[in-house]
């Protein structure tokens, strides 16, 4: 479903992605690992079509995520590394997601409850006023409610307490079928149950790519 | 289209909650209130009276402060959202860049235009209650001028916002543009240029490409051209073309300029990395 061809991305002189080639197919559940600054986030953002590559490119179901961004993003659920300081209230954010991406609000509420996020009483609160963990829970709930077959998570559990992590991994496991999951993490042991492939990046290159069970 | 309205609507709601919007509305509402308290409508000075005089004072102050208000509150909209990773998340949904960008512009336009318009409507209503005769020609001209002014500075602000690397730089550029346009407006400066025997056409041309100068001349164009407050440029321009032609120009030109800048901003937004 995702094909990365000779992808190179530079920021000034710095090469963040150095001629990356890889392919993610249906039922690939990937742990994307590597030291800080290895290029994981840059790779993910390239897949989402945010960066104009210096060379090569990405194809998602055969489509260019920059030129066909709407069609491509209809199939992707994404949670970023840091929840951004969005000033919209929760209900407004939900409106944005439900009108803009056809996500069922009830499903968001459902998954928020599953994540033990008290969404009903916080509806009119600004998103950026939620605690770090609450923000992540909401973004996760939205990503699950979006029910796409490509799921991209950039370290979504950094602020979650252990209980919330368990809830999250349980929900993720339940939703695993015929999908691609790209999960950036620094702790393989946490996602062992969920992933079946491990990719290791360093200095903008993929240094290992193996199937694990 | 539904996404465009959605983004405009949410941006509008967000702005209305923001502190700058409160200050913004208070400044323009306060101006009008101040004029009434100061009895501007009651006095007769220099041949124009009542509401006309109030509206003229209002628009003259507005010409100076509205641009800087629009610039500093808007110039960070795209660049700020990029800086703090809001774009990274909001644009991960299937919303086209076109809808996102123009939705933001539409939302912002309503936010900046409505309070200044509203202040003027309040003045009209209050003035008529107090028994002043309503100068409809002035009212409609100024409504149009405010519209054009909002468009052009919003366009410039979004243009800057699309290419600057950081919010601080955006603010700096905004200030610079404001001062630059304001300097050209200054009669003293233009007189200075004249006294040094610059080509007359050149001076008029420089004055005419400056939207702030256009607004200033248009705002007084309904009044007696013999008035000394006009300054030499205004006098010259109104001598050159009919008042109607100039009024149409004074609205069309800034609006086109605003659209042009917004469009350039969009092209840059599309071409650059989004985060
Ligand atoms: N917008 C940018 N401008 C300049 N350099 C950048 C930019 N984004 C990333 N980089 C650089 O690219 C390299 C890879 O960054 P990236 O964020 O992809 O790392 P990462 O693997 O996600 O690291 P972490 O585990 O810390 O999240 C880093 O050296 C970073 O400084
Ligand atoms: Mg990262």
């Amino acid at each position: 479903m995702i094909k990365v061809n000779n992808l190179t991305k530079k920021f000034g002189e710095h090469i963040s992605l150095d001629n990356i080639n890889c392919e993610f197919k249906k039922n690939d559940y990937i742990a994307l690992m590597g030291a800080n600054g290895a290029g994981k986030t840059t790779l993910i953002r390239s897949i989402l079509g945010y960066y104009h590559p210096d060379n090569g490119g990405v194809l998602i179901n055969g489509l260019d995520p920059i030129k066909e961004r709407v069609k491509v993003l209809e199939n992707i659920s994404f949670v970023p590394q840091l929840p951004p300081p969005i000033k919209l209230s929760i209900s407004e954010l939900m409106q944005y997601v439900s009108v803009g991406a056809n996500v069922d609000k009830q499903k968001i509420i459902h998954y928020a409850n599953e994540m033990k996020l008290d969404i009903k009483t916080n509806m009119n609160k600004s998103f950026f006023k939620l605690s770090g963990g609450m923000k992540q829970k909401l973004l996760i709930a939205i990503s699950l409610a979006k029910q796409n077959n490509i799921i991209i998570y950039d370290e979504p559990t950094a602020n979650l307490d252990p209980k919330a992590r368990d809830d999250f991994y349980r929900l993720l496991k339940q939703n695993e079928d015929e999908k691609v999951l790209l999960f950036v993490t620094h702790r393989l042991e946490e996602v062992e149950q969920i992933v079946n492939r491990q990719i290791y990046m360093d200095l903008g290159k993929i240094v290992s790519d193996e199937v694990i069970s | 289209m539904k996404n465009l309205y959605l983004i405009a609507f949410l941006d509008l709601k967000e702005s209305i909650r923001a502190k700058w919007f409160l200050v913004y509305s208070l400044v323009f509402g306060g101006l009008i209130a101040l004029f009434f308290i100061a009895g501007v409508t009651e006095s007769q000075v220099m041949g124009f009276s009542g509401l006309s005089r109030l509206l003229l004072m209002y628009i003259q102050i507005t010409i100076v402060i509205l641009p800087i208000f629009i610039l500093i509150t808007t110039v960070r909209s795209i660049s700020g959202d990029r800086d703090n990773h809001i774009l990274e998340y909001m644009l991960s949904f299937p919303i086209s860049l076109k809808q996102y960008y123009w939705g933001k512009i539409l939302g912002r336009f309503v936010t900046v235009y409505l309070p200044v318009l509203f202040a003027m409507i309040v003045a009209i209503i209050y003035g008529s209650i107090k028994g002043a005769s309503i100068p409809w020609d002035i009212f409609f001209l100024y409504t149009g001028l405010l519209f054009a002014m909002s468009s052009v500075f919003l366009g410039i602000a979004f243009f800057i916002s699309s290419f600057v690397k950081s919010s601080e730089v955006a603010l700096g550029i905004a200030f610079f543009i404001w001062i630059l346009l304001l300097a050209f407006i200054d009669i003293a400066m233009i007189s200075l240029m004249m006294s040094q025997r610059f080509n007359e056409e050149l001076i008029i041309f420089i004055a005419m490409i400056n939207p702030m100068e256009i607004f200033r001349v248009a705002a007084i164009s309904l009044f007696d051209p013999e008035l000394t407050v006009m300054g030499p440029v205004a006098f010259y321009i109104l001598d050159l073309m009919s008042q109607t032609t100039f009024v149409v120009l004074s609205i069309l030109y800034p609006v086109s300029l605003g659209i042009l800048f917004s469009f350039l901003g969009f092209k840059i937004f599309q071409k650059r990395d989004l985060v």
Side-chain angles (χ1 to χ4, degrees), chain A residues 9 45 50-52 69-70 73-74 78 80 84-88 92 95-97 99-101 139 142, chain B residues 2-3 10 13-14 17 84-86 88-96 270-275:
Chain A
K9 178 67 191 171
R45 288 176 176 171
Y50 293 163
Y51 288 141
H52 294 265
R69 67 170 261 119
V70 173
L73 292 175
E74 270 166 6
F78 168 68
I86 297 167
K87 289 180 203 72
L88 300 177
E92 287 161 355
Q95 185 185 3
Y96 178 79
V97 173
V99 178
L139 298 191
I142 291 173
Chain B
K2 120 186 119 71
N3 286 345
L10 290 178
K13 273 180 96 176
E14 193 182 305
R17 274 199 307 265
N84 54 31
H85 303 293
I86 289 179
E88 180 185 23
Y89 186 68
M90 298 310 259
L91 292 178
S92 73
F93 294 95
I95 283 172
S96 74
Q270 241 182 348
K271 285 247 151 54
R272 286 193 46 193
D273 289 346
L274 290 175
V275 287

Side-chain angles (χ1 to χ4, degrees), chain A residues 85-122:
Chain A
I86 297 167
K87 289 180 203 72
L88 300 177
S89 69
I90 293 187
S91 70
E92 287 161 355
L93 184 59
M94 281 172 60
Q95 185 185 3
Y96 178 79
V97 173
S98 73
V99 178
N102 268 322
V103 178
D104 183 357
K105 281 187 191 176
Q106 288 312 314
K107 284 214 178 80
I108 300 177
I109 294 173
H110 166 77
Y111 283 111
N113 288 335
E114 291 275 324
M115 290 294 298
K116 311 279 184 304
L117 170 68
D118 184 8
I119 196 169
K120 287 257 164 60
T121 56
N122 287 308

Side-chain angles (χ1 to χ4, degrees), chain A residues 1-4 22-31 44 47 59-61 75-78 143-144 147-153 172 175-183 194-197 199:
Chain A
M1 291 209 251
I2 303 177
K3 235 178 132 138
V4 181
C22 58
E23 192 169 352
F24 308 132
K25 296 206 174 82
K26 208 184 271 181
N27 289 318
D28 275 351
Y29 300 95
I30 303 135
I44 279 176
I47 291 173
L59 287 179
I60 293 164
N61 299 325
N75 295 310
I76 299 184
S77 296
F78 168 68
S143 76
L144 291 171
Q147 301 205 309
N148 292 126
N149 48 16
I150 300 175
I151 301 175
I152 298 179
Y153 286 143
L172 208 52
N175 279 287
E176 270 192 356
D177 67 306
E178 308 285 289
K179 292 186 179 170
V180 174
L181 171 71
L182 195 53
F183 199 121
I194 300 161
V195 301
N196 56 19
R197 183 174 165 189
I199 293 180

Side-chain angles (χ1 to χ4, degrees), chain B residues 71 75 160 163-164 168-179:
Chain B
L71 285 170
V75 85
I160 298 173
F163 69 81
V164 287
E168 280 81 39
V169 178
L171 269 186
I173 297 177
F175 260 109
F176 176 75
I177 288 180
W178 182 64
I179 296 285

Side-chain angles (χ1 to χ4, degrees), chain B residues 201-261:
Chain B
E201 275 83 35
L202 180 72
I203 294 165
I204 300 300
F205 179 73
I206 291 175
M208 287 282 284
I209 56 172
N210 177 356
M212 258 154 128
E213 179 69 25
I214 295 247
F215 290 132
R216 205 183 67 85
V217 176
I220 46 178
S221 67
L222 287 187
F223 299 98
D224 186 355
E226 298 301 319
L227 285 176
T228 45
V229 288
M230 267 195 173
V233 174
F235 191 83
Y236 185 94
I237 292 173
L238 292 177
D239 199 40
L240 199 70
M241 59 182 87
S242 84
Q243 196 258 339
T244 324
T245 316
F246 179 69
V247 162
V248 171
L249 185 77
S250 71
I251 290 173
L252 281 189
Y253 165 67
V255 169
S256 326
L257 208 59
I259 292 172
L260 178 72
F261 272 113

Side-chain angles (χ1 to χ4, degrees), chain A residues 11 14 16 34-43 45 51 81 155 186, chain B residues 275:
Chain A
F11 293 104
H14 183 88
S16 292
N36 294 131
K40 306 178 295 292
T41 301
T42 311
L43 177 61
R45 288 176 176 171
Y51 288 141
Q81 188 163 6
E155 288 185 65
H186 292 289
Chain B
V275 287

